[in-house]
Amino acid sequence: MPINVTRSSMPSFEEYCEEIKELWDTHWLTNSGAKHRELEAKLGEYLDTPNVTLFTNGHLALENVIAAHGLTGEVITTPFTFVSTTNAIVRNGLKPVFCDIDPVTYTIDAGKIEALISPKTSAIVPVHVYGNVCDDEAIERIAKEHGLRVIYDAAHAFGESYKGKNVANLGDASMFSFHATKVYNTVEGGAIACKDAGIKAKMEYMKNFGIPAQDKITYAGGNAKMSEFHAAMGICNLRHLDECIAGRKAVVERYRENLRGVNGIILCPEQNDVKSNYAYFPVVFDGAKYTRDEAAEKLAKQGIYARKYFYPLTNDCDCYGFNGNKTPVAKRVSESVLTLPLYPDLSLEDVDRICSIICGD
Ligand code: T4K
């Protein structure tokens, strides 16, 4: 069996079947059905925030929340992310202005944001990359001072808290991805948590073709609703989330034990004040025995598929014509980072094997 960078968490077959059984009685499969409403309420509780709305995936959630805030002009963001973040900004007709990243957490370098603000700037879209929480206090201070919105791409951060506060409460809004590859999944899916109840109300009709009520169409919306089958998967997976995070933690601890202090291998330090979800395990190769690409190749020869998340930088993507050299820290990390396999039931023996392949002869 190959070992991939991750493996979707799933409930037992019986648990899922039990959860979807009633759909055969009601024949109600989508458009804000009972499962959808139940999951939305449960997530509101879990995220400790009143305004949660579900989406068909994280990307459309991000596109819609950016649109709902009526942003204009320029948006300051990070290039060290999955391309979805940049695409969501560009597809809203906005110009992304790329800020370099912090060399330790790989999140947006808050100290470099102010120099990028222009009269056209309307928002900051930071990313809690790998689940590393951004410097929210500095970002909030800048946003307040300059009258900017803060919309977090929190695709990797579901289940995390910062200084005792769920990350869903940071900024004006946060987007969570519930893709199959995430710590918590609804197969495909996503959600927005936002401060303003009016924004949530707006997104309810934006994701339903712009229809707020029968016989009324107020917005040129698309379709980004979550189905009952996806919501049912979410209800099941939520029951096992704590267990799943505990399993990931054990794997991460073993990686840290094995790789701590190895020459040329740089690990992200654990963040003070953050309760982590152990979403990804990135390793930067900087003068190690092998380069990042050599290590990835050695692993692949053994059927182990680590990934170069996030390479290339989004400001180096062919479709855009931006310039990744303007964010040198991000460029360096992107060219030397490898995210190692991580999922709750990855055996500790396999973790040991992975470590000896990337460190050994
Ligand atoms: N913002 C950020 C920062 C993000 O990272 C993402 C998504 C988004 C926004 C957008 O959210 P969504 O719209 O996706 O909800 C994957 C995911 O498709 C994507 O969700 C994720 N980020 C990105 C980082 O990774 P790929 O192309 O690397 O996935 P793939 O198909 O190669 O899968 C990786 C491994 O996962 C496979 O080798 C095996 C395992 N896997 C995969 C699938 C599809 C499973 O175990 N089960 C599965 O069903 O993009």
Side-chain angles (χ1 to χ4, degrees), residues 140-208:
E140 276 299 320
R141 183 187 49 73
I142 296 164
K144 218 169 174 183
E145 226 170 280
H146 297 270
L148 307 176
R149 297 290 194 177
V150 178
I151 298 175
Y152 278 108
D153 179 333
H156 301 176
F158 185 81
E160 296 199 307
S161 58
Y162 175 63
K163 296 195 173 170
K165 188 159 108 173
N166 194 293
V167 291
N169 294 296
L170 305 180
D172 293 287
S174 295
M175 176 281 281
F176 297 98
S177 163
F178 303 151
H179 184 259
T181 54
K182 295 294 186 283
V183 170
Y184 167 73
N185 82 79
T186 59
V187 184
E188 287 273 3
I192 297 294
C194 57
K195 287 238 162 75
D196 181 348
I199 294 284
K200 171 180 151 84
K202 198 168 168 186
M203 284 188 297
E204 295 300 336
Y205 62 76
M206 288 174 75
K207 69 180 174 188
N208 184 29

Side-chain angles (χ1 to χ4, degrees), residues 140-335:
E140 276 299 320
R141 183 187 49 73
I142 296 164
K144 218 169 174 183
E145 226 170 280
H146 297 270
L148 307 176
R149 297 290 194 177
V150 178
I151 298 175
Y152 278 108
D153 179 333
H156 301 176
F158 185 81
E160 296 199 307
S161 58
Y162 175 63
K163 296 195 173 170
K165 188 159 108 173
N166 194 293
V167 291
N169 294 296
L170 305 180
D172 293 287
S174 295
M175 176 281 281
F176 297 98
S177 163
F178 303 151
H179 184 259
T181 54
K182 295 294 186 283
V183 170
Y184 167 73
N185 82 79
T186 59
V187 184
E188 287 273 3
I192 297 294
C194 57
K195 287 238 162 75
D196 181 348
I199 294 284
K200 171 180 151 84
K202 198 168 168 186
M203 284 188 297
E204 295 300 336
Y205 62 76
M206 288 174 75
K207 69 180 174 188
N208 184 29
F209 309 101
I211 304 175
Q214 260 184 43
D215 304 332
K216 206 171 168 193
I217 301 157
T218 52
Y219 177 82
N223 179 359
K225 292 168 273 118
M226 181 183 279
S227 84
E228 290 293 274
F229 286 85
H230 293 84
M233 185 62 128
I235 291 168
C236 294
N237 278 339
L238 198 57
R239 291 188 194 116
H240 305 285
L241 183 62
D242 288 349
E243 201 185 308
C244 167
I245 292 178
R248 303 179 81 92
K249 180 173 189 239
V251 170
V252 165
E253 281 173 353
R254 186 65 158 238
Y255 272 130
R256 287 193 181 282
E257 262 170 50
N258 287 341
L259 298 175
R260 192 175 291 127
V262 173
N263 210 10
I265 289 199
I266 299 165
L267 310 180
C268 271
E270 287 174 77
Q271 288 182 288
N272 292 331
D273 303 321
V274 172
K275 186 178 144 270
S276 175
N277 64 359
Y278 306 94
Y280 291 83
F281 195 77
V283 167
V284 165
F285 293 77
D286 183 12
K289 184 162 186 182
Y290 303 107
T291 64
R292 181 271 302 271
D293 291 352
E294 286 166 351
E297 210 172 299
K298 281 189 86 208
L299 288 168
K301 280 194 181 136
Q302 305 287 326
I304 299 166
Y305 302 101
R307 293 292 285 268
K308 300 173 193 174
Y309 296 138
F310 290 98
Y311 174 86
L313 289 178
T314 70
N315 52 358
D316 269 336
C317 290
D318 296 342
C319 58
Y320 287 136
F322 301 122
N323 184 355
N325 293 322
K326 291 188 175 167
T327 51
V329 179
K331 182 100 176 169
R332 180 168 48 75
V333 175
S334 169
E335 286 173 351

Side-chain angles (χ1 to χ4, degrees), residues 54 77-78 104 116 135 142 190 196 211 222 245-246 277 337:
L54 301 179
T77 188
T78 169
V104 177
L116 299 171
D135 184 353
I142 296 164
D196 181 348
I211 304 175
I245 292 178
N277 64 359
V337 72

Side-chain angles (χ1 to χ4, degrees), residues 3-10 55-62 80-86 88 126-130 153-156 175-182 185 187-191 280 305-307 309-310 343:
I3 296 179
N4 291 317
V5 69
T6 192
R7 195 161 91 119
S8 298
S9 294
M10 296 171 81
F55 279 87
T56 201
N57 58 54
H59 177 80
L60 286 175
L62 190 58
F80 190 68
T81 180
F82 192 53
V83 70
S84 165
T85 320
T86 305
V127 180
H128 302 306
V129 70
Y130 305 135
D153 179 333
H156 301 176
M175 176 281 281
F176 297 98
S177 163
F178 303 151
H179 184 259
T181 54
K182 295 294 186 283
N185 82 79
V187 184
E188 287 273 3
Y280 291 83
Y305 302 101
R307 293 292 285 268
Y309 296 138
F310 290 98
Y343 42 91

